[in-house]
């Protein structure tokens, strides 16, 4: 993004007004990278994501006629409609995310005035870095401010998740929207996904740097496999409940309890999924402590165990992510590496010594290309602030 002035000019080009002193307000919401705690959010467990500095901008001008026009710098065409008659339409593609947010506000009884909105973004698409959550969160934040609705950011993250679950029809957990809304520069967020209790964890990595590696394998089957994993976890919780009275989610099952009751989980798939989730919750808490006490090495070890568990037990990695993992591990100065996000393609996140970054990129590129024929892309991962209005130029 080349500055807020350029964004205003683009808005004016697209909508035919905006350069004569009309008030255009600009909002931003980031994508996220999950450091650890994968496939734990939908069972009430722990996650540790960080907001990125990559994200989605929205330039907003309210209208008084209850119509909306949505445009994006990444897609041709404009999606138009009535703010009080919002329906999902496959042909509207990306615009279903903001429309889903409109719809959620209306379900809360909010009367929307109508808007022209231009979206601009720099999150690589299909990489599992939550471009959709960032579109939802930037829309939710914008409407909340423009209409002076007074919802808290946490409430907006829940609203955005409902938009994705119920309007777009993707059955995700709360992690992506929460990270996009509540992220803080220089920090990750430890979140317990059933209670939404959270705390910020400083990313004081010393001589180490987080690097995101995009496998450039477009995610495929992600949605159907994701839903299948959710079902398997639910099946497991239903069995566990009979043996652990009072336990309603996997996020509240301790390792000791798991040891006692695991023998009751007889379907082998279900056993593996639960074994992953319960250990992953523990790794997430242990990683938080490692980060808080400056034990970067220990954090790296947890990342590696997390990937192995996602590969062997939760079975959501695939050959591309596994190859990136293996290649990264072999680089001297790489303390930890793992897939991040839903899996089946997308990205890994690695913890690499600052002086080893270029060796890391060269070595991983060579190895990965040799084995898969694909070329990876690297992003230095800086953690940024969550959804907000941008003031100034
Ligand atoms: C996707 C979902 C999240 C979470 C992750 C896996 O990113 O949107 O809610 O379940 O997968 O950890």
């Amino acid at each position: 993004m080349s500055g807020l002035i350029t964004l205003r000019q683009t808005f004016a080009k697209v909508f035919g007004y905006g350069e004569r002193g009309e008030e255009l307000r600009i909002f931003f919401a980031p994508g996220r990278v999950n450091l650890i705690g994968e496939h734990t959010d939908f069972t009430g467990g722990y996650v540790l994501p960080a907001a990125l500095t990559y994200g989605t901008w929205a330039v907003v001008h309210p209208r008084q006629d209850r119509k909306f026009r949505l445009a994006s710098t990444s897609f041709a065409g404009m999606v138009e409609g009535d703010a009080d008659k919002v329906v999902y339409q496959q042909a509207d593609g990306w615009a279903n995310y903001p429309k889903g947010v409109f719809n959620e506000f209306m379900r809360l009884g909010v009367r929307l005035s109508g808007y022209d909105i231009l979206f601009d973004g720099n999150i690589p698409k299909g990489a599992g870095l939550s471009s959709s959550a960032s579109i939802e969160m930037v829309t939710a934040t914008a409407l909340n401010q423009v209409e002076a609705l007074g919802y808290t950011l946490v409430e907006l993250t829940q609203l955005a998740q409902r938009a994705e679950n119920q309007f777009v029809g993707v059955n995700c957990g709360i992690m992506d929207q929460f990270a996009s809304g509540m992220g803080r520069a220089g920090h990750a967020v430890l979140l317990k996904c059933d209670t939404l209790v959270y705390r910020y964890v400083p990313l004081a990595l010393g001589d180490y740097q987080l690097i995101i590696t995009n496998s450039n394998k477009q995610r495929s089957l992600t949605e159907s496999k994701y839903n299948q994993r959710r079902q398997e976890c639910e099946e497991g919780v239903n069995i566990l409940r009979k043996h652990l009275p009072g336990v309603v989610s996997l996020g509240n099952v301790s390792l000791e309890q798991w040891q006692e009751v695991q023998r009751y989980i007889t379907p082998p798939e279900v056993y593996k999924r639960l074994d992953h989730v319960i250990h992953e919750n523990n790794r997430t808490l242990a990683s938080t402590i490692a980060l808080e006490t400056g034990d970067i090495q220990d954090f790296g070890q947890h990342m590696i165990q997390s990937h192995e568990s996602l590969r062997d037990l939760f079975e959501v990695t695939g050959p591309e992510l596994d190859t990136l993992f293996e290649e990264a591990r072999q680089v001297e100065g790489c303390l930890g590496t793992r897939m991040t996000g839903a899996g089946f393609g997308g990205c890994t996140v690695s913890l690499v010594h600052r002086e080893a970054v270029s060796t890391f990129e060269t070595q991983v590129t060579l190895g990965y290309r040799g084995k898969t024929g694909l070329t990876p892309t690297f992003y230095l991962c800086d953690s940024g602030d969550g959804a907000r209005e941008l003031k100034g130029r």
Side-chain angles (χ1 to χ4, degrees):
M1 213 265 314
S2 40
L4 302 187
I5 295 184
T6 321
L7 262 183
R8 287 195 177 94
Q9 288 166 343
T10 314
F11 181 99
K13 220 183 269 165
V14 171
F15 291 110
Y17 70 92
E19 287 189 298
R20 290 208 198 86
E22 294 95 339
E23 198 199 6
L24 301 181
R25 293 174 69 175
I26 305 188
F27 299 84
F28 174 79
R32 64 96 188 92
V33 59
N34 188 23
L35 302 184
I36 197 159
E38 212 67 83
H39 288 284
T40 50
D41 61 349
F42 49 81
T43 48
Y46 293 93
V47 293
L48 188 64
L52 297 171
T53 50
Y54 299 100
T56 304
W57 287 259
V59 188
V60 184
H61 190 266
R63 306 167 58 105
Q64 299 314 321
D65 57 2
R66 315 212 60 212
K67 306 244 181 264
F68 65 81
R69 294 190 291 174
L70 308 172
S72 159
T73 55
S74 311
F75 299 92
M78 197 185 281
V79 172
E80 303 183 33
D82 287 325
D84 52 3
K85 264 193 259 122
V86 179
V87 280
Y88 180 89
Q89 262 170 351
Q90 198 156 9
D92 290 347
W94 66 273
N96 284 307
Y97 296 108
K99 282 169 57 179
V101 171
F102 292 176
N103 190 52
E104 283 306 320
F105 277 119
M106 285 188 305
R107 290 180 56 188
L108 291 172
V110 174
R111 187 178 186 279
L112 303 175
S113 65
Y115 318 92
D116 287 337
I117 312 183
L118 171 75
F119 293 88
D120 182 38
N122 60 2
I123 305 176
K125 278 171 202 65
L129 300 175
S130 294
S131 53
S132 42
S134 82
I135 301 177
E136 290 153 5
M137 281 310 298
V138 81
T139 310
T141 309
L143 265 58
N144 192 42
Q145 305 263 33
V146 168
E147 302 281 8
L149 298 173
Y151 289 104
T152 65
L153 256 179
V154 171
E155 286 168 338
L156 296 179
T157 66
Q158 292 171 295
L159 180 148
Q161 186 202 8
R162 288 198 302 275
E164 179 134 359
N165 290 168
Q166 293 166 24
F167 190 85
V168 181
V170 173
N171 210 5
C172 63
I174 186 76
M175 170 169 74
D176 305 345
Q177 290 78 11
F178 199 93
S180 176
M182 300 296 291
R184 180 183 283 181
H187 294 77
V189 196
L190 173 71
L191 171 69
K192 180 83 183 346
C193 296
D194 53 355
T195 56
L196 299 190
V197 170
Y198 65 96
R199 79 170 187 257
Y200 291 107
V201 180
L203 282 175
L205 301 175
D207 290 333
Y208 287 83
Q209 162 83 49
L210 289 167
I211 300 182
I212 296 172
T213 308
N214 189 344
S215 66
N216 287 321
K217 154 88 166 62
Q218 288 297 309
R219 292 181 302 154
S220 57
L221 286 178
T222 312
E223 216 182 303
S224 63
K225 293 273 184 196
Y226 186 89
N227 289 337
Q228 192 188 337
R229 295 294 180 276
R230 281 192 73 141
Q231 268 167 22
E232 288 160 347
C233 289
E234 268 161 40
E235 197 182 325
V237 174
N238 287 337
I239 306 174
L240 279 192
R241 269 210 203 108
K242 295 183 196 136
H243 305 280
L244 291 174
V247 165
V248 287
S249 80
L250 290 184
N252 299 316
V253 177
S254 68
L255 280 181
E256 293 71 34
Q257 286 174 317
W258 177 232
Q259 241 118 58
E260 277 166 37
V261 296
Q262 54 182 235
R263 63 180 182 280
Y264 300 115
I265 312 286
T266 42
E269 257 65 52
V270 176
Y271 173 84
K272 284 198 280 185
R273 310 306 182 231
L274 264 56
D275 204 35
H276 163 75
V277 171
I278 292 163
H279 283 93
E280 184 77 356
N281 281 325
N282 273 270
R283 278 190 287 272
T284 306
L285 289 175
S287 298
T288 302
I289 293 167
L291 283 170
E292 286 172 341
T293 55
D295 194 344
I296 311 296
Q297 202 112 19
D298 192 45
F299 172 47
Q301 282 305 310
H302 293 303
M303 293 174 85
I304 289 172
Q305 286 163 10
S306 168
H307 185 95
E308 288 171 340
S309 175
L310 288 155
R311 180 191 63 198
D312 302 335
L313 299 174
F314 214 70
E315 298 181 283
V316 288
T317 54
E320 293 79 11
L321 290 172
D322 288 336
T323 304
L324 282 181
F325 170 74
E326 289 304 336
E327 294 300 323
R329 279 183 78 178
Q330 285 166 30
V331 179
E332 204 174 318
C334 173
L335 287 186
T337 180
R338 59 182 291 279
M339 60 151 267
T340 180
F344 305 105
C347 294
T348 59
V349 56
S350 309
L351 185 59
V352 182
H353 196 284
R354 287 182 196 284
E355 283 168 16
V357 169
S358 70
T359 319
F360 178 89
E361 295 188 2
T362 318
Q363 238 176 275
V364 171
T365 301
L366 276 179
Y368 181 65
R369 199 187 274 153
K371 288 180 183 133
T372 64
L374 294 167
T375 302
T377 316
F378 301 93
Y379 319 101
L380 285 192
C381 164
D382 283 324
S383 55
D385 285 319
R388 63 198 182 270
E389 181 164 13
L390 302 178
K391 303 274 184 166
R393 297 161 75 80

